[in-house]
Amino acid sequence: MYILLDEKGTAQELIPDIDPVFPGVPIEERYAPDFVSRLIHVPDDTEVQQRWVYDRESGLFNQPIPEVPAVKLGE
């Protein structure tokens, strides 16, 4: 599976190695070279979903930590 990460390491797109719409067509022929160069490749059994965060040191993806809205005192 190929994954497009944003600048923060968040998974934006998950692209299968084999696309049933284009069977037998490698990713290099399905997408532009500049797009393919921005992807990382991980094993198909990697546990990941869109918006999960990639840890470059461990090579693992982690679920995003939900942001807690700030509470203003006196409201």
Side-chain angles (χ1 to χ4, degrees):
M1 165 175 27
Y2 292 88
I3 300 177
L4 175 65
L5 302 174
D6 67 11
E7 63 281 346
K8 296 179 183 177
T10 304
Q12 298 296 309
E13 295 290 334
L14 309 176
I15 304 168
D17 285 326
I18 299 171
D19 187 332
V21 176
F22 302 105
V25 179
I27 195 162
E28 295 82 8
E29 293 180 22
R30 290 185 270 155
Y31 296 95
D34 62 323
F35 179 75
V36 173
S37 69
R38 296 173 36 211
L39 303 174
I40 64 168
H41 187 261
V42 298
D44 284 339
D45 62 350
T46 301
E47 187 175 0
V48 61
Q49 295 179 24
Q50 283 184 321
R51 294 186 295 282
W52 283 24
V53 181
Y54 182 61
D55 180 347
R56 294 183 191 278
E57 290 182 22
S58 69
L60 300 174
F61 286 89
N62 300 296
Q63 294 183 24
I65 299 170
E67 291 185 26
V68 178
V71 177
K72 293 182 182 179
L73 297 176
E75 288 188 7

